[in-house]
Amino acid sequence: MIIKKAELETVCGITSKLPEHSLCEFAFAGKSNVGKSSLINALMNRKALARTSSQPGKTQTINFYNINDALYFVDLPGYGYAKVSLEAKEKWGKMIEVYLKKSQVLQTIFLLIDIRHEPSENDRTMYQWIVYNGYHPVIIATKLDKLKRSQTAKHVKMIREGLGMEKQDILIPFSAETKQGREEIWELIENAMDSFDSKTGI
């Protein structure tokens, strides 16, 4: 997809009303500092529209990015950051839960996992929770450039087994530095949009 327009359109806090529209949504979830903003920027061909930070726990809202007036990227709050209060974590969790249950146009949830490490307890919980809510998350294994190429297959297997993924479940290794994996992710997004359009008769 050629990106002609990409802008942060809506920011939803804990008490905000979720936007209503008829365009496809693609949500991005992941542990704090896993590279969510870097992935979104890479997909949008923008350097800093989604704010990246070395400080974990930066995203504390649900951010809706309008792409070409054709779809939305939805950036969910990062999880698993120890310095955030339990009360704040519970509020973020509730906010994400409300979004997953209320969105009528959410097509795919991309769950980001750092390819260098085994999935954490928080990662496994999030994966199971997304599945419980009726979605099949696509796993994006980030920070691929931090591994030697010869290590990739071993680490992909480690993540698949650590999450208890089924054979048919999709995992895409990704690097924000080299953009490896970007085209595969866009192909999934465009296929989901085509499927959505055929169902709705657009």
Side-chain angles (χ1 to χ4, degrees), residues 86-147:
L86 187 61
E87 184 185 4
K89 284 179 188 173
E90 286 174 354
K91 284 179 179 175
W92 294 355
K94 192 72 183 165
M95 187 162 59
I96 295 170
E97 186 177 13
V98 167
Y99 167 69
L100 290 185
K101 287 185 174 172
K102 285 200 171 178
S103 176
Q104 301 295 308
V105 286
L106 175 58
Q107 301 305 301
T108 307
I109 301 172
F110 294 102
L111 177 59
L112 281 64
I113 308 284
D114 189 329
I115 197 168
R116 298 171 298 176
H117 310 298
E118 279 194 50
S120 67
E121 189 61 42
N122 282 322
D123 290 329
R124 289 192 293 274
T125 299
M126 189 66 177
Y127 177 79
Q128 290 159 4
W129 189 60
I130 292 169
V131 170
Y132 175 77
N133 277 282
Y135 294 92
H136 292 281
V138 172
I139 305 302
I140 307 296
T142 61
K143 306 184 190 279
L144 177 61
D145 50 283
K146 308 288 187 192
L147 285 185

Side-chain angles (χ1 to χ4, degrees), residues 151-167:
Q151 298 175 298
T152 303
K154 176 187 164 192
H155 283 250
V156 164
K157 185 180 179 204
M158 175 181 77
I159 290 173
R160 293 189 77 95
E161 289 179 351
L163 292 175
M165 294 174 69
E166 301 290 337
K167 196 173 183 181

Side-chain angles (χ1 to χ4, degrees), residues 47-60:
K47 283 193 173 167
L49 187 54
R51 285 175 297 175
T52 58
S53 174
S54 58
Q55 178 191 349
K58 191 78 177 169
T59 306
Q60 301 182 17

Side-chain angles (χ1 to χ4, degrees), residues 31-48:
K31 197 161 51 178
S32 298
N33 240 16
V34 75
K36 212 152 32 76
S37 298
S38 298
L39 168 64
I40 291 170
N41 284 328
L43 290 173
M44 295 191 296
N45 269 343
R46 300 294 190 270
K47 283 193 173 167

Side-chain angles (χ1 to χ4, degrees), residues 67-84:
I67 316 295
N68 288 357
D69 291 324
L71 69 148
Y72 284 91
F73 285 168
V74 183
D75 187 7
L76 302 174
Y79 57 82
Y81 183 48
K83 289 190 180 177
V84 175

